[in-house]
Amino acid sequence: MSTKTISLRDEAYERLRRARKSPGESFSDVVMRAVWPDQPLQAGEFLRLVRERGTLYSPDELDRVDEVSLSDRPPTDKWPEA
């Protein structure tokens, strides 16, 4: 495996360091799992991430989100036409 030396501002280094899942995770691994804005996340990639990281919400939390979204209504128009 080849390597490259790069320079980072301190702020960028700290952001990269904080993004590690564990102290032993390499910066290369952090960069490789980054999702860049110009690359839309495809369903297969999302599924891979969920399988790798686990779900972010419990089934109870997801049920609660469903309940709330069913009762959610658009805000009242503050600028009605005269």
Side-chain angles (χ1 to χ4, degrees):
M1 172 177 77
S2 66
T3 61
K4 299 284 183 188
T5 300
I6 62 172
S7 296
L8 297 172
R9 293 190 317 257
D10 288 340
E11 177 186 358
Y13 172 84
E14 287 302 319
R15 181 180 277 187
L16 192 60
R17 186 183 61 77
R18 286 190 309 268
R20 292 186 300 181
K21 290 182 179 179
S22 67
E25 184 179 30
S26 72
F27 289 149
S28 291
D29 290 338
V30 173
V31 170
M32 293 305 294
R33 67 179 162 78
V35 177
W36 306 104
D38 59 336
Q39 299 174 352
L41 184 62
Q42 301 294 318
E45 178 68 7
F46 178 73
L47 182 59
R48 184 191 67 75
L49 288 172
V50 169
R51 286 179 176 157
E52 180 181 293
R53 297 180 187 172
T55 58
L56 298 178
Y57 302 101
S58 71
D60 290 338
E61 291 170 318
L62 293 174
D63 288 342
R64 179 69 182 128
V65 169
D66 285 341
E67 286 175 26
V68 170
S69 67
L70 289 173
S71 64
D72 192 25
R73 299 288 175 254
T76 304
D77 186 0
K78 294 179 182 179
W79 303 98
E81 293 183 31

